[in-house]
DNA sequence: ATATGAATGTAGCAACTGCTACATGGATTC
DNA sequence: GAATCCATGTAGCAGTTGCTACATTCATAT
């Protein structure tokens, strides 16, 4: 017999891996249980209900993603908007990050449908993204700092949409095209 | 008695309206049928299966959206990347367009989950967006034209994500911040 | 008027959903 | 050794799902 807390942690990790692999497609309690190699009965012993199951797994995923992203720009380093966008955009199609971004789009969509627990999760994750960008954004005080940060986050997230709809190749090329955005004819 | 074709058209319009209102949240055959004021039995008389029900409604929605977007930039008019992005970005939070964009994000997510019929629909819609942007994009031939277009589409779609996660206010401000993207400290 | 086929209603099946009641094993405590 | 409690298994309920079998009505053609 293993303590409930240990199992919870192990199951959480397995669920996170499963979500990253399969997205929010197969997320019935029975499928999640199979992915975590426990019975569905046990899932609801470790967690209160399905929302908590998904919520805990998503929280862990968010933390992992934050860790990955944190490495992209040095502590205290600050970049101009397009430079920061370029740096962040290059992450989206990297093999370690791609599953996170694809899942992120599905979570935001679930939040849009009002499906618990995703509204809260999406809001928290988005706030994290915005804070990270703002912290590394070099821009004069006259500009709406938060709005510029939001636009950068939007562009990065949009790359994930391109990735989903057309594959990573176009998404990667789009990211590389960021320096051309500022150029006129 | 009404001809099957007439009913199909009427039902399609009702379904499109319902999807724009409620997203992909309540899309069981019984709910869709209620929204269209027919019996679920009839839905599967007009359409082959649920995938065709959603597919036809989505196709109509895509056509409507294309119409709305078409008005944003004059026929034959061409703009520099950031200018085009600004023009398109301003649409996302406009009251008539907002429901379309929110639904679009949900469709892309469903496509990412492999849920029929959305992979095909999402691919077609995305191709339409890309073609529209490319057609209005003024940029020198040295640049990867398709990639720049993809980046613009990404940024616009990303605004919809901000809208979903944080509401239209920040999304609108982010769109207004586009001119600041090119500015350094 | 009768036959035919299209349009519609009623009822329900089988699979899956989240969740629960109940029983049982094994360890710990007294 | 008895009592207790945590951890786990079995079985199943009630609701929802996509879809279908079957019966019926109605319009039209002969």
């Amino acid at each position: 017999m293993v303590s409930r807390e240990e199992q919870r942690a192990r199951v959480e990790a397995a669920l996170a891996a499963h979500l990253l692999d399969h997205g929010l497609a197969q997320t019935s309690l029975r499928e999640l249980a199979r992915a975590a190699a426990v019975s569905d009965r046990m899932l609801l012993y470790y967690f209160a209900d399905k929302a908590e199951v998904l919520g805990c797994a998503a929280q862990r995923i968010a933390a992992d993603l934050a860790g990955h992203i944190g490495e992209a720009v040095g502590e205290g380093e600050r970049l101009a908007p397009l430079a920061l966008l370029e740096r962040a955009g290059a992450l989206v199609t990297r093999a370690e990050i791609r599953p996170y971004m694809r899942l992120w789009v599905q979570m935001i969509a679930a939040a849009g449908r009002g499906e618990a627990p995703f509204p809260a999760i999406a809001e928290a994750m988005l706030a994290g993204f915005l804070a990270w960008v703002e912290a590394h954004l070099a821009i004069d005080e006259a500009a709406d700092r938060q709005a510029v940060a939001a636009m950068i986050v939007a562009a990065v997230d949009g790359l994930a949409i391109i990735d989903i709809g057309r594959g990573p190749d176009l998404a990667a090329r789009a990211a590389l095209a960021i320096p051309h955005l500022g150029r006129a004819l």
Side-chain angles (χ1 to χ4, degrees), chain A residues 131-169:
Chain A
W132 183 85
V133 168
E134 266 200 80
H136 294 91
L137 185 60
I139 196 167
D140 64 75
E141 296 301 326
D144 183 345
R145 191 179 180 74
Q146 192 188 24
V148 173
M151 190 61 235
I152 292 174
V153 170
V156 173
D157 289 349
L159 283 174
I161 287 184
I162 302 288
D163 178 24
I164 291 174
R166 284 284 285 254
D169 291 354

Side-chain angles (χ1 to χ4, degrees), chain A residues 54-67:
Chain A
L54 291 175
C56 289
Q59 218 166 321
R60 179 192 207 88
I61 287 169
D64 291 354
L65 177 56

